[in-house]
Amino acid sequence: MSVQAYQTAFSIWLDANRSRLIYRLGSDTNLAKMARVEWMKMSEEDKNMWRKKTDISAQCLRGRLKKVKRKGTTKKTPSESIDQSDALSSLPPSILVRHILQRVSPAQYAQLHLVSRRFHHLLSNYADELPKRDLTFIAFKIPWEDELTCAGKLGGNCKNLNESRQSKEAPLMALAITGYLRHQKLIGEVRFDKGFELRHVLKPLIHLAKHKRLCMTHIEFKCCMSGVTEGQLKELLSHCSSRLEYIAVGTHADIGLGIITDALIASIVVNGRFRALCLSRPVGLTDLTLDHFPLIDCFHLELKHERITPSGVYRFIQRFRKEYKKWSGHLTICTSLEKPLRNLITPDEVRKNETWYEGKTTEWIFFKTPGNRLPPHLYLGFESC
Amino acid sequence: MIQLCSNDDPPVSFTVPRKAVELSKTIKTMLEDLEGFDMEQTPIPLPNVDAPTLELIVKWVEQHQDDPPPVEKPRVEDDDSDDSDADDDQEPEVVIPEWDKKFLPTDDEQKNQLFKLLNAANYLEIKPLLDIGCKYVADKISGQTVEWVRDYLNMENDYTPEEEAKLKEEIAWAEGL
């Protein structure tokens, strides 16, 4: 082979080396998948550049260099060489996103969206790959003046959005949520306030949870949950249950039976951090939840409206007796169970409490060791339901 | 020794020790693939790199040819079932060594050269050079105004006033946080 022919072939090799993900498509399915993903992410400008390069046959590579017929030096096309005056625009998205923007604080991303359309598209399309700011709290609520409308509004600590955006339609709201959490990751509490329709935002929330933007520890439902199914809630929580510690349903929540189920709770508790379930509205849980609930430090169960039986509570106390040794916890059930339970078990201590909202309540204490004022104890509270 | 040729007309040739040139993953792979050819006699053309940029590349690889090889993280495939916290795939913190600080073309009039260097480092797969260059650019634009970033990156504001106003409204949430 002449030196010139070799150099031509080698130029082709070098160029094609950069598109190796494309030419290996046929034999490697993982690479094929990766290449398809990369291709979908590319801008039209980049795609056109690669389309031009497809003239380079992959078969010219590896062992077939001798088949290259071109003579003379490589003819350079404008897309193949770096334009002296515009080196930045030729930086591929992979450099801008994975090497430069990756190293800029997420706090600045909002500003960078304004730099140019290209930056806006890069920041939006590659948001999943970029670092996120930690968000400790978010509440979904409707403002007082809109309380009678069916629309909701994103609120909480995003005061500006709450004041400025009057999105009253679900699709807009979904967009607002996605945009709001584009460069943030929820690590604390999410609350759905009274009157808010959860079904309007469930789909974007599932999407965000799937992409690990919702890593909350607490979730509180005070909202309207009509139209929400157990399956949807299960999907949402399945993506963010690894850090979930607390689920509450508030007094004013509009929730029917069969949304929060024993099976749903069982799917959450397997992830290990779940410790508190406070239900101020009946959701239809049974003894099964008591049987599976983890007895970890400061566990807290408020199940006064649920279908709990004396034998279920008895089994729970027996399980605590076998497993506890280290931790204390609290279980609240309906006062109607107090009398039947007296026939099954005797507490170490009974005390009467008085609260401003419930009046007088009774609390039984188990496993109190004489002389040891420290936990572990099991507190069994009775409240009217 | 290996000869590298720039894309200029006529091409400018640089002779570089093989150990240094192998800091480029692209050229290293090529040399391994063409084992048996007498590569010391055949200049390697680099169609995407001009002479000033190639000179910088050569200077950098010669300086760093004795550095310990960077530790490569295995690529993590997409896995929807992974519920672990998602920050594991972030790039490790890069510290720009003193020599590299002086080496990088950082003057305002040289910034186009810096971007060409990043392009070439990407093309030749010289990750440590790409890392320090990108770290420099990221630090440079951090904390700056939109106008400053546009000016530094030679970017024009291609939004219409209406689009810009709408976008500002859309991202207003971030301002007060």
Side-chain angles (χ1 to χ4, degrees):
Chain A
M1 192 189 307
S2 73
V3 170
Q4 272 192 332
Y6 169 74
Q7 286 186 344
T8 305
F10 181 64
S11 297
I12 294 169
W13 190 93
L14 272 181
D15 280 334
N17 186 48
R18 304 206 59 212
S19 57
R20 59 191 179 282
L21 289 182
I22 306 296
Y23 76 75
R24 283 185 189 167
L25 282 182
S27 59
D28 190 325
T29 51
N30 282 335
L31 277 173
K33 185 182 164 193
M34 225 159 72
R36 272 199 300 278
V37 171
E38 290 297 317
W39 180 257
M40 296 304 288
K41 284 177 183 172
M42 276 185 193
S43 67
E44 273 308 307
E45 184 189 354
D46 288 338
K47 281 182 180 175
N48 284 334
M49 185 184 82
W50 288 109
R51 280 175 187 130
K52 281 180 190 171
K53 291 194 173 190
T54 54
D55 288 341
I56 302 163
S57 164
Q59 292 178 349
C60 289
L61 308 171
R62 291 179 191 273
R64 295 202 180 183
L65 288 174
K66 61 183 178 188
K67 289 195 176 177
V68 175
K69 300 291 185 193
R70 271 195 277 174
K71 299 283 182 186
T73 54
T74 309
K75 187 181 176 183
K76 288 194 294 261
T77 61
S79 64
E80 284 176 324
S81 61
I82 299 165
D83 183 349
Q84 300 288 323
S85 63
D86 195 14
L88 175 74
S89 66
S90 62
L91 281 182
S94 59
I95 295 191
L96 279 168
V97 174
R98 294 186 190 119
H99 294 274
I100 296 178
L101 293 176
Q102 182 84 244
R103 294 187 165 99
V104 175
S105 163
Q108 207 185 343
Y109 289 161
Q111 286 289 315
L112 291 178
H113 274 276
L114 292 166
V115 168
S116 70
R117 286 172 196 233
R118 188 181 186 208
F119 259 50
H120 177 57
H121 290 140
L122 285 175
L123 287 161
S124 305
N125 298 342
Y126 290 83
D128 290 343
E129 296 182 28
L130 294 168
K132 315 286 181 300
R133 290 178 80 186
D134 288 344
L135 182 65
T136 53
F137 172 71
I138 188 170
F140 294 84
K141 61 187 177 184
I142 54 173
W144 291 107
E145 68 268 24
D146 292 340
E147 199 166 11
L148 297 177
T149 74
C150 65
K153 199 179 203 179
L154 195 59
N157 62 349
C158 40
K159 291 172 191 156
N160 289 332
L161 186 62
N162 206 14
E163 295 303 320
S164 65
R165 181 165 291 161
Q166 298 297 318
S167 59
K168 292 183 179 178
E169 300 298 327
L172 281 178
M173 202 159 45
L175 269 178
I177 292 161
T178 311
Y180 179 68
L181 288 171
R182 186 182 282 145
H183 300 300
Q184 302 193 78
K185 182 169 80 174
L186 179 66
I187 56 162
E189 179 182 351
V190 60
R191 198 178 71 213
F192 301 93
D193 279 353
K194 183 185 171 188
F196 187 86
E197 298 255 1
L198 180 61
R199 65 193 159 101
H200 287 323
V201 296
L202 210 49
K203 206 173 167 184
L205 287 179
I206 289 171
H207 171 83
L208 289 165
K210 195 173 177 181
H211 288 87
K212 299 176 182 176
R213 308 286 172 73
L214 302 183
C215 304
M216 61 271 196
T217 54
H218 290 55
I219 184 165
E220 189 170 2
F221 300 102
K222 296 178 173 180
C223 57
C224 171
M225 294 175 81
S226 66
V228 176
T229 65
E230 182 205 6
Q232 288 172 319
L233 202 55
K234 199 170 181 176
E235 188 177 2
L236 172 69
L237 297 179
S238 70
H239 293 300
C240 46
S241 61
S242 62
R243 286 168 47 89
L244 198 60
E245 296 177 12
Y246 173 91
I247 291 180
V249 172
T251 315
H252 299 292
D254 178 6
I255 182 170
L257 303 181
I259 297 175
I260 295 178
T261 62
D262 292 316
L264 177 75
I265 299 300
S267 71
I268 297 167
V269 300
V270 295
N271 288 309
R273 294 200 191 180
F274 195 58
R275 69 179 73 236
L277 181 62
C278 302
L279 305 174
S280 302
R281 299 281 299 162
V283 301
L285 296 185
T286 70
D287 292 344
L288 282 174
T289 289
L290 273 187
D291 290 342
H292 293 112
F293 202 83
L295 301 177
I296 60 177
D297 190 20
C298 300
F299 69 85
H300 193 98
L301 276 160
E302 284 186 30
L303 303 172
K304 60 187 175 182
H305 298 288
E306 303 312 310
R307 297 167 181 164
I308 304 298
T309 66
S311 60
V313 177
Y314 180 77
R315 283 202 304 276
F316 184 79
I317 294 169
Q318 293 306 319
R319 185 156 68 93
F320 186 87
R321 181 195 299 278
K322 286 178 191 165
E323 295 181 16
Y324 80 101
K325 305 299 179 193
K326 291 177 185 173
W327 316 117
S328 284
H330 204 126
L331 168 64
T332 304
I333 52 176
C334 182
T335 43
S336 63
L337 295 174
E338 187 174 357
K339 199 173 174 185
L341 271 171
R342 279 196 185 280
N343 300 325
L344 292 174
I345 197 160
T346 306
D348 295 335
E349 183 184 330
V350 176
R351 65 184 178 203
K352 300 284 183 188
N353 296 324
E354 199 164 338
T355 60
W356 63 270
Y357 58 96
E358 289 285 356
K360 284 183 179 173
T361 61
T362 307
E363 188 172 64
W364 293 4
I365 302 171
F366 292 90
F367 312 116
K368 207 171 173 186
T369 314
N372 181 9
R373 293 167 61 194
L374 296 171
H377 299 156
L378 172 62
Y379 299 90
L380 178 62
F382 296 94
E383 288 182 10
S384 57
C385 52
Chain B
M1 299 295 269
I2 302 291
Q3 287 182 64
L4 303 177
C5 283
S6 72
N7 66 357
D8 305 84
D9 190 15
V12 181
S13 173
F14 295 84
T15 305
V16 195
R18 180 163 177 148
K19 187 179 179 188
V21 89
E22 282 188 345
L23 287 178
S24 157
K25 210 170 158 187
T26 304
I27 296 180
K28 186 180 179 191
T29 310
M30 183 275 296
L31 292 174
E32 286 166 0
D33 278 9
L34 298 178
E35 202 65 57
F37 284 82
D38 185 6
M39 296 307 293
E40 299 205 355
Q41 297 303 314
T42 315
I44 297 176
L46 300 175
N48 279 19
V49 188
D50 62 17
T53 310
L54 187 54
E55 187 180 359
L56 285 173
I57 293 279
V58 168
K59 200 172 167 187
W60 191 88
V61 294
E62 284 181 341
Q63 173 68 24
H64 289 275
Q65 59 182 314
D66 295 321
D67 289 359
V71 181
E72 286 194 21
K73 262 199 327 185
R75 186 180 173 85
V76 180
E77 298 295 331
D78 288 346
D79 184 0
D80 290 343
S81 65
D82 181 15
D83 273 338
S84 61
D85 292 348
D87 293 336
D88 306 338
D89 53 353
Q90 284 190 21
E91 288 286 318
E93 186 64 31
V94 169
V95 178
I96 306 176
E98 279 306 313
W99 186 90
D100 295 68
K101 279 181 190 165
K102 290 173 189 157
F103 159 81
L104 287 174
T106 52
D107 292 345
D108 273 358
E109 58 271 24
Q110 290 180 304
K111 65 189 175 194
N112 208 39
Q113 184 60 62
L114 176 63
F115 297 135
K116 283 197 282 184
L117 183 66
L118 296 185
N119 252 319
N122 181 53
Y123 176 70
L124 295 171
E125 292 187 64
I126 310 175
K127 190 171 182 298
L129 176 57
L130 187 62
D131 278 341
I132 60 158
C134 290
K135 163 81 173 155
Y136 176 82
V137 176
D139 288 348
K140 195 83 178 169
I141 63 176
S142 290
Q144 301 292 353
T145 63
V146 176
E147 290 73 21
W148 192 96
V149 175
R150 273 189 203 130
D151 182 52
Y152 179 70
L153 299 179
N154 297 328
M155 282 183 160
E156 281 191 13
N157 180 7
D158 52 2
Y159 289 115
T160 63
E162 294 77 25
E163 283 173 334
E164 192 171 1
K166 194 180 166 195
L167 190 60
K168 274 183 181 169
E169 191 189 351
E170 275 183 23
I171 61 174
W173 48 265
E175 303 290 335
L177 295 179

